[in-house]
Amino acid sequence: MKRLVKWLGIGVAGLVLLGGAGLGVLYATTQSQLRRPQVEVTAVLPVGDAKEGARLAQVLGCRGCHQDDLSGAVFMDQPNVLRLVAPNLTQVRDDYDAAAWVRLMRAGTKADGTLAIGMPNAAHQRLTDREIADLVAYVRSAPRVDSTTLGTTHLWPLARLGMVTGKFRVETLAGDPPESPQVLAQRGTQDRGEHLAYIACSGCHGHDLEGGDATTHHAPPLEVAKAYDAQSFARLLRTGTTLAGKDSATGMMSQVSRRHFSSLTVDEIADLHAYLVRR
């Protein structure tokens, strides 16, 4: 009996060691996927406008995840899977010089060299140098907020297992290849409506504007905008009121409109509508 107990103990210890080794390999493998290649930064940011940066941060939803005072928040928490934290920008800004800000926006690469999970990286790639400069000026101008209990983004083994099995694709989260022809064309377009669609709408409605996935409550293709005339579209973006005279089916579009898109100018809304109708 003692010998059996002894061998059972050895077996359990072996399984624990194997499990620990497996978790170690899983962590190392997935962590290497999260590390982003170093991107050469050639852009020299102009002097930014903090006031315009604050408005742009509202339109883009930055102040939704990072809060109005930029103190940060947990914006997704799935027990035993992942915990995504929008950091306190008034603290982490000290880790970013101008080149690091550009690298974050162009490649989704944080100051520590890893992917900014949860940020709308594809949309940010389309921002112009001027828009990045305005956002940076705003973040740098915000009063510092001290917080120590927020924590950081964490991926549990289930999420990391999803990474190695292809169910949680890092490359999709990273956006497009930095400075690819498509990115450059959409960043440099002279059509303000097109530009707004890709920096403000693609996060929910998909990189191709053909609809989102489960994480965005299956936001519909933006073909739906063709059902709206200029006046009703402006009402939707200002108040969140749909053609039916009520909130959107899931409430998300109405919430985003009231909180974010209501900061768009009259001309920006008109240009966005014109682009979505003719595309």
Side-chain angles (χ1 to χ4, degrees):
M1 185 65 180
K2 289 183 178 179
R3 180 175 294 182
L4 177 60
V5 172
K6 175 182 177 181
W7 282 110
L8 284 174
I10 292 174
V12 170
L15 288 174
V16 170
L17 287 173
L18 284 174
L23 286 175
V25 171
L26 178 65
Y27 182 85
T29 300
T30 52
Q31 202 62 19
S32 67
Q33 293 181 31
L34 292 174
R35 293 205 66 80
R36 309 308 300 159
Q38 286 297 315
V39 176
E40 181 181 359
V41 174
T42 58
V44 178
L45 294 180
V47 177
D49 180 337
K51 183 176 180 179
E52 175 58 20
R55 186 186 77 91
L56 185 58
Q58 189 73 32
V59 170
L60 298 180
C62 308
R63 289 163 61 178
C65 291
H66 293 277
Q67 305 300 300
D68 284 332
D69 61 358
L70 305 185
S71 62
V74 177
F75 66 92
M76 183 178 292
D77 192 355
Q78 297 183 8
N80 302 317
V81 181
L82 51 75
R83 184 175 187 268
L84 301 184
V85 176
N88 182 336
L89 292 180
T90 71
Q91 292 180 326
V92 301
R93 65 188 175 192
D94 297 337
D95 299 330
Y96 290 80
D97 58 14
W101 279 116
V102 174
R103 193 173 292 112
L104 174 66
M105 294 301 190
R106 297 284 192 253
T109 304
K110 298 190 296 185
D112 64 3
T114 61
L115 176 66
I117 300 175
M119 283 184 67
N121 293 309
H124 288 170
Q125 289 176 314
R126 274 76 178 166
L127 292 171
T128 65
D129 293 348
R130 163 60 64 187
E131 288 168 332
I132 294 177
D134 290 343
L135 287 169
V136 171
Y138 163 57
V139 171
R140 287 176 172 168
S141 71
R144 185 179 179 89
V145 180
D146 291 320
S147 62
T148 58
T149 61
L150 190 58
T152 58
T153 288
H154 186 79
L155 303 182
W156 298 101
L158 279 177
R160 292 179 181 272
L161 187 61
M163 289 172 60
V164 299
T165 59
K167 293 183 178 180
F168 179 41
R169 300 190 62 184
V170 171
E171 290 306 319
T172 300
L173 300 176
D176 295 308
E179 310 305 282
S180 65
Q182 181 185 30
V183 169
L184 292 175
Q186 291 175 345
R187 184 189 306 157
T189 180
Q190 297 304 301
D191 186 330
R192 182 166 57 178
E194 178 185 12
H195 184 65
L196 285 168
Y198 281 100
I199 67 172
C201 306
S202 62
C204 288
H205 293 276
H207 298 170
D208 56 2
L209 308 182
E210 294 299 327
D213 55 22
T215 61
T216 59
H217 298 280
H218 298 287
L222 282 180
E223 190 84 5
V224 68
K226 294 183 179 182
Y228 288 76
D229 61 19
Q231 184 177 359
S232 60
F233 185 77
R235 183 181 68 166
L236 172 66
L237 267 61
R238 288 279 183 232
T239 69
T241 304
T242 66
L243 283 176
K246 56 186 180 180
D247 280 4
S248 57
T250 65
M252 176 172 281
M253 182 64 198
S254 296
Q255 180 181 352
V256 170
S257 292
R258 288 190 286 262
R259 179 162 173 76
H260 305 301
F261 293 161
S262 58
S263 294
L264 290 168
T265 67
V266 171
D267 289 341
E268 285 174 335
I269 292 176
D271 288 344
L272 177 58
H273 179 253
Y275 170 70
L276 293 177
V277 166
R278 70 171 180 271
R279 69 181 287 273

